[in-house]
Amino acid sequence: MALPNRVKVVEVGPRDGLQNEQQIVPAAIKIELIERLADAGLSVIEATSFVSPKWVPQMADNAEVLAALLASPRRRAGVSYPVLTPNLKGFDAAVEAGAQEVAIFGAASETFSQKNINCSVAESLKRFAAVVNAAGALEIPVRAYVSCVVACPYEGAVAPEKAAWVAQRLLDMGCYEISLGDTIGAGTPASIQRMIEACAAVVPVENLAGHYHDTYGMAIANIYASLELGVAVFDSSIAGLGGCPYAIGASGNVASEDLVFLLQGLGIDCGVDLAGLLAAGRFISAHLGRAPASKAARALLARQGRQ
Ligand code: HMG
Ligand code: MG
């Protein structure tokens, strides 16, 4: 199969990245980061999550961040700011803050579901159905994640059929896109392709997205393997920020700079300006006091420094 001509990049750094930082990043820095990411051409930027502040204090400023972005004079047309909403309480708070798109997040592993959202997979699907119904009444689109699609930090290898089973339930519920999370980055091109094939047998490939953490340095290879099967939506995290607080040892998503460098090299359009992305990555990395985790960013910034 030919590779897709165009790929949608879903930037998740402000949520997936910053939720896992030891230091709590001030709302003003998050807002500036997200606006710089929009300036760089990203059209979907996951802004925050409406989860318990006791569980994830890093996202406690969710309403402040979202409301400021929506009211900003710098706001660009066509840019959406989805937010995570695990249950109706989170959904109601997100709507109150002005959310126009939300995302629910389930798992293919029972133990991970319990550790992450404190309920079984079956119970989570009931909660998600309530969120999707409420969102439908307000014409708010819902994206969905399935975590642990190839491996779980507690249960080990996860059968592709388990990921596909959950993905199908979420699509049937009314979610428009199912993002397949290799939460601990343990997948390799072969296991990722087996998982995508199982999911694509029950969910149209146009509705699938890859969400690959880069713990073992496999994310770019896994994206290429997914492109080969027609997947054309990928989540990435600016400067490679992040991880998941309930998946110990998981590092950040594939860096947005690495993903865009790959796509440019393959001649695949994604509408993102790499120079703008580098500047955004440098901004947040300077705030955190470290170099970007992205190898492409480090090489390109070093080259800029020599010119
Ligand atoms: P719970 O304790 O089971 O909920 O938490 P509960 O209904 O029993 O309520 C307990 C307390 O939480 C109550 O407050 C509720 O009001 C409050 P109290 O009376 O004790 O003061 N509460 C909430 N507060 C704010 N927002 C809410 C909310 N719901 C209840 N939405 C819950 C269930 C899901 C809320 C909790 O387990 C939680 O917040 N978990 C954090 C999950 C999380 O953010 N994980 C990281 C994101 S997922 C991820 O990173 C993976 C992904 O990137 C894909 C991949 O990589 O695989 C997406
Ligand atoms: Mg993640």
Side-chain angles (χ1 to χ4, degrees):
M1 186 192 283
L3 301 185
N5 296 325
R6 198 181 153 76
V7 153
K8 180 172 82 174
V9 176
V10 175
E11 170 62 51
V12 297
R15 191 281 302 171
D16 203 341
L18 297 185
Q19 76 181 8
N20 206 33
E21 285 296 326
Q22 293 293 333
Q23 50 171 305
I24 296 192
V25 173
I29 300 282
K30 294 178 179 172
I31 294 161
E32 180 62 32
L33 170 65
I34 293 169
E35 300 211 300
R36 287 181 187 221
L37 293 165
D39 290 344
L42 285 152
S43 60
V44 188
I45 307 170
E46 199 170 73
T48 185
S49 56
F50 286 81
V51 299
S52 164
K54 289 186 191 142
W55 286 59
V56 187
Q58 291 89 337
M59 296 286 120
D61 57 4
N62 43 27
E64 181 186 352
V65 169
L66 182 61
L69 290 168
L70 295 174
S72 169
R74 283 169 67 185
R75 189 169 174 205
R76 288 172 177 266
V79 176
S80 62
Y81 297 122
V83 296
L84 295 192
T85 55
N87 52 17
L88 272 180
K89 185 176 170 75
F91 177 77
D92 289 343
V95 169
E96 175 87 27
Q100 290 160 357
E101 180 172 342
V102 299
I104 53 180
F105 49 105
S109 140
E110 264 315 320
T111 315
F112 187 81
S113 182
Q114 289 289 353
K115 300 269 185 196
N116 193 36
I117 52 173
N118 207 22
C119 67
S120 66
V121 172
E123 172 62 24
S124 76
L125 292 174
K126 286 190 204 149
R127 293 183 188 179
F128 298 152
V131 171
V132 173
N133 286 339
L138 298 175
E139 295 185 24
I140 291 178
V142 185
R143 191 174 198 247
Y145 288 96
V146 184
S147 284
C148 302
V149 289
V150 288
C152 166
Y154 310 101
E155 295 181 12
V158 170
E161 294 68 29
K162 280 195 176 173
W165 186 87
V166 179
Q168 186 175 15
R169 299 288 151 323
L170 295 170
L171 182 84
D172 290 349
M173 228 176 246
C175 299
Y176 76 91
E177 194 166 273
I178 315 295
S179 180
L180 301 166
D182 181 10
T183 316
I184 55 170
T188 56
S191 57
I192 289 285
Q193 285 197 337
R194 280 196 296 274
M195 179 277 296
I196 302 262
E197 275 162 358
C199 291
V202 291
V203 174
V205 74
E206 302 75 43
N207 300 101
L208 294 175
H211 177 105
Y212 305 143
H213 285 264
D214 202 24
T215 321
Y216 295 86
M218 293 292 113
I220 284 288
N222 292 338
I223 288 172
Y224 192 83
S226 308
L227 286 167
E228 285 187 322
L229 296 183
V231 177
V233 183
F234 295 97
D235 302 352
S236 65
S237 183
I238 187 69
L241 299 175
C244 173
Y246 300 100
I248 304 308
S251 67
N253 285 96
V254 65
S256 304
E257 299 93 318
D258 292 353
L259 172 60
V260 171
F261 186 80
L262 172 76
L263 295 173
Q264 285 190 354
L266 293 170
I268 297 175
D269 179 26
C270 67
V272 181
D273 167 44
L274 191 49
L277 209 52
L278 284 177
R282 204 149 66 156
F283 169 77
I284 190 62
S285 300
H287 177 81
L288 296 170
R290 58 170 188 251
S294 160
K295 282 196 162 186
R298 287 196 214 180
L300 291 164
L301 289 169
R303 209 163 73 185
Q304 278 178 6
R306 281 200 303 272
Q307 280 165 2

